[in-house]
Amino acid sequence: MDECRTLLSTHGVGRVAVSPSGGRPAVVPVNYDVVDDAIVFRTSPGSVTAAAAGTEVAFEVDHVDDAPSQGWNVLAVGPAIPVTDPEVTGRLTRDAHTEPWAGGERMMWVSIRPTSLTGRRITAADQ
Amino acid sequence: MDECRTLLSTHGVGRVAVSPSGGRPAVVPVNYDVVDDAIVFRTSPGSVTAAAAGTEVAFEVDHVDDAPSQGWNVLAVGPAIPVTDPEVTGRLTRDAHTEPWAGGERMMWVSIRPTSLTGRRITAADQ
């Protein structure tokens, strides 16, 4: 668990998987940061990740070397919560190290506080 | 659509998002290949990706440069189908260019035939 937290904090691009009720599943790459044990990222109010706010989402970070097959991945699952408190969003905008990957107007902060955090390391010995 | 297909075929590692009915969502990196317009990868019979067979899944491939924010991503959505025909699995094992990323015993082939294929390119101009 501690190692998963450490690995999470080493990487700036993760993938959020959303599965809206009645909608189609999607995976979106985001620039993220970890603030107070929560994964935070910015999105546009009209995006699929914004629409997922309030639902349980999966967030994945990995480092994969194609050959030889080595790497690690960490999977966090938890509710996606829109961050609306102006004091908190102001602090996030100031303190988070991440810029929104796709640029543009991404004015909505979303926070994922994992209720499950798992990971695995892959080494050549696994083959 | 054609550009999405081209981008899909340039990359060997993608992420499969599954959201099992009654279960928790997950995202798993896989080495994949594209054979006859279907995304194919190998997994273990007991894995979450194997359990997703028969359900609609999202499959994502991206290339992301952290800074400057440039890259692309492609999202395919469709049913995950276990490939059971020995003739087809034999051909996949022979023809597919991919090795299972995590190594080990991954004897089950899964195929995703996208019913939706979307993508976007991000350039510095988007910022």
Side-chain angles (χ1 to χ4, degrees):
Chain A
M1 191 84 163
D2 281 349
E3 189 178 9
C4 289
R5 285 213 183 87
T6 305
L7 289 170
L8 259 186
S9 68
T10 61
H11 213 274
V13 177
R15 282 102 195 157
V16 183
V18 304
S19 44
S21 154
R24 309 202 77 189
V27 180
V28 181
V30 296
N31 273 350
Y32 75 96
D33 204 349
V34 177
V35 175
D36 298 339
D37 278 343
I39 296 151
V40 292
F41 62 92
R42 268 178 283 196
T43 188
S44 313
S47 66
V48 292
T49 44
T55 70
E56 187 169 63
V57 301
F59 177 84
E60 191 254 4
V61 180
D62 60 53
H63 177 76
V64 176
D65 292 326
D66 283 354
S69 296
Q70 297 199 22
W72 53 263
N73 72 307
V74 171
L75 178 66
V77 180
I81 308 288
V83 182
T84 52
D85 182 331
E87 195 172 319
V88 179
T89 56
R91 188 162 62 88
L92 288 175
T93 304
R94 198 178 60 238
D95 295 349
H97 300 99
T98 180
E99 290 294 317
W101 170 53
E105 289 295 325
R106 294 179 179 254
M107 299 302 290
M108 180 178 170
W109 280 97
V110 175
S111 154
I112 304 167
R113 197 167 289 278
T115 54
S116 132
L117 191 60
T118 52
R120 59 175 181 165
R121 259 183 204 283
I122 308 300
T123 67
D126 289 325
Q127 294 186 79
Chain B
M1 192 83 163
D2 281 348
E3 190 176 7
C4 290
R5 286 214 181 86
T6 305
L7 288 169
L8 259 186
S9 68
T10 62
H11 214 274
V13 177
R15 283 102 195 155
V16 183
V18 303
S19 45
S21 155
R24 310 202 76 188
V27 180
V28 181
V30 297
N31 273 351
Y32 74 96
D33 204 347
V34 178
V35 175
D36 298 338
D37 278 343
I39 295 151
V40 292
F41 62 92
R42 267 177 284 196
T43 189
S44 314
S47 67
V48 292
T49 44
T55 71
E56 187 170 62
V57 302
F59 177 84
E60 191 255 3
V61 180
D62 60 53
H63 177 77
V64 176
D65 293 326
D66 283 354
S69 296
Q70 297 199 20
W72 54 263
N73 72 306
V74 171
L75 178 65
V77 180
I81 308 287
V83 182
T84 53
D85 183 331
E87 195 172 319
V88 179
T89 56
R91 187 162 63 87
L92 288 175
T93 304
R94 196 178 61 238
D95 294 349
H97 301 99
T98 180
E99 290 294 315
W101 171 52
E105 290 293 326
R106 292 177 181 256
M107 299 302 291
M108 181 177 168
W109 281 97
V110 175
S111 153
I112 303 168
R113 197 168 289 277
T115 53
S116 131
L117 190 60
T118 53
R120 60 175 180 166
R121 262 184 202 283
I122 308 300
T123 67
D126 289 326
Q127 293 185 81

